[in-house]
Amino acid sequence: GALPLGPRALSRDGKTVELDRGSAREVYLVAERSVAQTFVFDDLPRRGEMTLLVSVETDLVPSLDPGGGFQFRGDLGGVHYGAATAYDGAGRACALQQRWAEGGIQIVVPADFVESAALPLVVDPVISSFGVTGDDRRQLDTDVAYDGQNDRYLIVWSEVESTFDTDILCAI
């Protein structure tokens, strides 16, 4: 059966945001180029295979990433939802299966890992962005502005051409 999930409390401590959902805590650690998303289960009333459905609403096009996880792409860049790993309280790790399902990403924690897991059980995918040009090594200081009245975005970034040459570029 499904574990009941629902927002109960939201808290923030520096770059960490935590959403207490009752049966689990959804924790985000925000960094400059990524967001670490974890699902923390301090208690498991039932043991066995666990499937998490991470809802996704986007205009970006999803595809499987050969390195694990998913790429969501658009004309101006995209988001990588990385391969997920489960960790238990004893430090054991298990690579997890992910698949695209109607409405989002399913992350499956195998029954044998859940049944023997020392708590807390943590499910840990990493979310990161990739650049407008596809060459992140040369892109710096990316920023986005949105004009709601005209439903348009402007993306601006610096691009390093050489040690003494940096250009400022934009895309609409």
Side-chain angles (χ1 to χ4, degrees), residues 128-145:
S128 58
S129 61
F130 51 90
V132 175
T133 65
D135 187 0
D136 291 347
R137 296 168 297 140
R138 296 177 9 171
Q139 284 180 229
L140 303 169
D141 306 320
T142 303
D143 203 356
V144 177

Side-chain angles (χ1 to χ4, degrees), residues 71-136:
Q71 296 275 353
F72 296 88
R73 295 183 176 272
D75 293 339
L76 303 175
V79 175
H80 179 251
Y81 193 91
T85 304
Y87 301 93
D88 76 355
R92 294 182 319 127
C94 177
L96 302 179
Q97 180 185 52
Q98 291 171 239
R99 57 184 170 251
W100 183 253
E102 186 66 35
I105 299 170
Q106 285 184 343
I107 303 173
V108 179
V109 185
D112 60 338
F113 190 82
V114 176
E115 288 167 0
S116 64
L119 297 177
L121 174 63
V122 177
V123 177
D124 187 15
V126 174
I127 305 165
S128 58
S129 61
F130 51 90
V132 175
T133 65
D135 187 0
D136 291 347

